[in-house]
Amino acid sequence: MHRQETPRHSSHWGAFVPEVADGRVIRARPVPEDPDPSALLESVPSAVHAANRVLRPAVRRGWLSGREGGDPGRRGKDGYVEVDWDTALDLVAGELLRVRAEHGHDAVFGGSYGWSSAGRFHHAKTQLSHFLATTGGYVGQISNYSFGAADAVLPHVVGDSAAVLGGVPTWQDIREGADTLLMFGGAPAKNVQVEPGGVAAHRSRLGLLDALDHGVRAVNVNPVAYDAPPHRNLSWLPIRPGTDTALILALTREVVRAGRHDRDFLDRCTVGADRYLAYLDGSADGVEKSAGWASGITGIPERDILALAATLAGGRTMVTATWSLQRADHGEQPYWAVIALAAVLGGIGLRGTGFGFGYGSIAGTGNYRRRFGVPAFTATRNPLRRSIPVARMADMLLHPGREYEFNGARYSYPDIRLVYWAGGNPFHHHQDLNRLVRAWQRPETIIVHEPWWTPTARHADIVLPATTTLERDDIAAGSKDSFITAMRRVVPPVGEARNDHAIFRGLAERLGVLDDLTGGRSERELLADMYEQARADAAVHAVDLPGFEDFWRLGSIEIDVPDSQVPFADFRADPAAHPLATPSGRIELFSERVAGFGYPECPGHPVWLAPYEWLGDPDPQHPLHLLSPQPATRLHSQLDMAAVSLGSKIRGYEPCVLHAADAADRGIADGDLIRIFNVRGSVLAGAELRDDLVRGVALLATGAWFTPEFRGDEIWDVHGNPNALSRDVGSSRMGQAVTAQTVLVQIERYDGPDRTADPHAVPELHAR
Ligand SMILES: Nc1nc2c(c(=O)[nH]1)N[C@H]1C(S)=C(S)[C@@H](COP(=O)(O)OP(=O)(O)OC[C@H]3O[C@@H](n4cnc5c(=O)[nH]c(N)nc54)[C@H](O)[C@@H]3O)O[C@H]1N2
Ligand SMILES: Nc1nc2c(c(=O)[nH]1)N[C@H]1C(S)=C(S)[C@@H](COP(=O)(O)OP(=O)(O)OC[C@H]3O[C@@H](n4cnc5c(=O)[nH]c(N)nc54)[C@H](O)[C@@H]3O)O[C@H]1N2
Ligand SMILES: [Mo]
């Protein structure tokens, strides 16, 4: 074990050494052990001391007047009255009591999806879950926006979701074990800056380069060329968005047609291969899934597909896909199809081959995944045990009582009267924000904890100011990073901000349950307990961590972890002795259970199904496909108000990447303002022209703060959030996951009036 003695701090985008002057953070320097630090550290000082911090508790004027018999006004348009903490906490405690007494616990929605901050104790969403569970229960959210479709389907196919959580070959394994690395979605360097819980050593970008330097040949299947490193061993295969499943089916079919499939692996380790292969050769439905067939769907020449199939079968192949592929209509299909392709190639369970998801999506994928000794605060179990699939949140608010299906079962939406959010920003992350604006008017009370006046804070009734990590003590740790970092408080709270945990203490006191919330322990004792639990867990795995006080003094510890991880190795060697957690114990290329759900949009084996919007079914009014990748310049909506993100804007608007030829057709020059629109909304953005992407594709990163402005009867987002354009429907009844990547739009040059709203402004504030 290797120990450092420098005081440090951490964040989802990296560990750092803060520099402080006159009570303010002035710099965040990368830690010395980070081989590839993130430029996002430059945004730390301007975020902590941003002009739009929430300084005092604030209550929406219309909500207050509604309670006094006046007009409740409209969320998102109102000013706020600032109040003292006692008044604010009395109001929140009173509302919780009132709503639960009048409507029951399932009228309280506390799903509160969101990344919060890296510190594992003050993880706002978990603190909220713990508080709401302690006080009787709430409606939660299950799964996530990141890989919800995969999370639903993978357990049916391979028994669990490890392949999407980092239980995959390491970069060293790929270097040693693979000849060809087939990457659906490439390996965007921008994405591997971040890891939930913090990352002290960024290794992903360098791991890929190392594999390429050692002769691994990689193929970036992607609508854009630039999300993979320029390298002599890497080539780009441009594809139409949303059509990968067709390509994967055809690659599988061509390998089988050439007789180069691994029959032994299929017989020993899978079930349903024959039914799947009968779909591929056309005997099931009369359509052979050939290279020629896929060419018409994907836009890739037939000969390129045939050549790729020959390469895959001719050596040791590793197949990866970024998470974005499944954040789409029928998002379950490309992942199931990737597993089936890897099974046909027969490399599953051997070092560095087979399949794995999320390389290039998140920093830790390709590192060893540690299953022990990761400090984390755990919420007490929700006694209500009621949750909705995460992305069905607006449906729930709009349609209380309505039935829906999810992963083979039937449920109904609760009737929500109170929404409580801490650590997430639904007015950035949810699809079809104009629909969310309407859904959001329905609850009686909306409570939000936020450090900043985000769009979600500005759509709330009671806003409580939360500290940032630099204003409190915490511990950072990620399962795919080998460091545990003490995050020492470095500056005093900004304004009257309080830690989320302290806010819940204040509420629990009012509700008479403080001891249930804390077990009678102080914040510091709870932090130490969290660490000591991880330490005990590590000891079971023969890893010796120092005691809490020593750890705190050291500031950072590193755990030795292996550099190799070979999933499915035991299973491959002896499938009967090491069965998977599927009904058959094997990899299911056909799943009787999934077939039994009776969902035509997710039948018993992988299929190609055309998405509800795509370039293969052109809409003359909306001829461009809009992708919404993760932003290079921030973490989702976090840091949008800070230096790096602000520096990337075009005249204050979010940049939208357009093909230069598509722009020329529309009279759009680099740096022009543009309007992006479809039937769901209109968004203003700045044009950034490139020529290394597929024509007909445009890209607008997520996370620009939604800034609604009324233009006639329509709400326009005058900053550049793609969710004002995305559609709010589930991937299928299997996953009910987001379909944010399935969006067609039109784009035109915008010469209209400038906006009046400032995306990072503070709302009108009044003294009580
Ligand atoms: N169109 C489109 N939409 C998408 C996606 C996409 O690809 N396309 N991707 C989706 C995905 S994968 C994700 S994960 C989501 C991300 O969606 P979110 O996780 O909601 O995004 P964040 O911006 O990280 O929101 C975290 C919020 O918590 C606040 N916060 C930070 N620290 C604290 C704290 O200590 N206390 C409190 N109370 N608050 C804190 C931040 O200020 C911020 O407002 O977006 C999804 N939305
Ligand atoms: N800097 C930064 N990094 C982040 C985040 C962030 O906000 N900022 N967010 C983090 C989070 S929460 C998540 S879930 C991950 C998400 O990680 P991903 O979902 O993997 O990220 P994306 O950037 O949406 O897309 C990855 C690549 O897929 C390609 N792609 C998109 N559609 C298609 C398609 O139909 N076919 C093919 N073949 N390729 C396609 C895109 O062009 C891009 O190159 O990122 C994480 N990393
Ligand atoms: Mo995510």
Side-chain angles (χ1 to χ4, degrees), residues 3 59 62 128 140 163 283 321 331 356 401 432 461 547 558-559 650 669 696 749 757:
R3 303 177 174 198
V59 186
L128 173 62
S283 46
D432 199 346
D461 299 325
E558 183 177 8
I559 297 174
I650 295 177
R749 200 176 69 216

Side-chain angles (χ1 to χ4, degrees), residues 182 251-252 255 260-262 265-266 308-319 338-348 350 354 572:
L182 175 60
L251 291 168
T252 314
V255 169
R260 306 191 70 174
H261 52 304
D262 188 335
F265 184 83
L266 293 177
L308 180 57
T311 305
L312 301 182
R316 301 166 301 168
T317 296
M318 174 70 192
V319 189
V338 159
I339 296 170
L341 170 61
V344 160
L345 291 168
I348 297 171
L350 300 178
R572 180 193 176 96

Side-chain angles (χ1 to χ4, degrees), residues 113 115 144-147 323 327 361-362 630 635-636:
Y113 181 84
W115 264 54
N144 55 57
Y145 282 74
S146 311
F147 47 78
W323 294 341
R327 227 176 290 115
S361 296
I362 208 90
Q630 304 296 322
L635 173 65
H636 317 129

Side-chain angles (χ1 to χ4, degrees), residues 540-553:
V540 173
H541 291 82
V543 171
D544 180 30
L545 301 184
F548 177 75
E549 293 304 332
D550 286 339
F551 158 69
W552 197 252
R553 213 173 31 250

Side-chain angles (χ1 to χ4, degrees), residues 675-728:
R675 180 170 81 105
I676 315 171
F677 60 96
N678 61 18
V679 292
R680 294 176 288 272
S682 277
V683 168
L684 298 184
E688 179 188 333
L689 308 192
R690 301 186 67 123
D691 54 16
D692 48 357
L693 67 156
V694 167
R695 277 208 62 178
V697 175
L699 298 100
L700 182 64
T702 62
W705 287 14
F706 176 61
T707 309
E709 214 175 79
F710 279 86
R711 301 275 171 125
D713 289 343
E714 292 175 20
I715 306 178
W716 285 23
D717 168 42
V718 296
H719 185 201
N721 190 304
N723 282 325
L725 302 160
S726 56
R727 189 169 162 197
D728 184 14

Side-chain angles (χ1 to χ4, degrees), residues 40 115 146 184-185 188 190-191 193-194 221-224 227 239 241-242 244 322-325 327 360-362 627-632 634-636 699 741:
L40 294 179
W115 264 54
S146 311
F184 292 94
K190 66 181 177 63
N191 288 355
Q193 298 179 91
V194 312
V221 183
N222 203 319
V224 309
D227 273 343
I239 189 169
D244 299 81
T322 51
W323 294 341
S324 61
L325 264 82
R327 227 176 290 115
S361 296
I362 208 90
L627 293 174
S628 45
Q630 304 296 322
R634 53 184 178 261
L635 173 65
H636 317 129
L699 298 100
Q741 305 301 344

Side-chain angles (χ1 to χ4, degrees), residues 25-45:
V25 186
I26 54 164
R27 239 183 106 190
R29 271 189 297 115
V31 293
E33 63 269 26
D34 193 339
D36 190 24
S38 163
L40 294 179
L41 288 178
E42 286 165 33
S43 277
V44 169

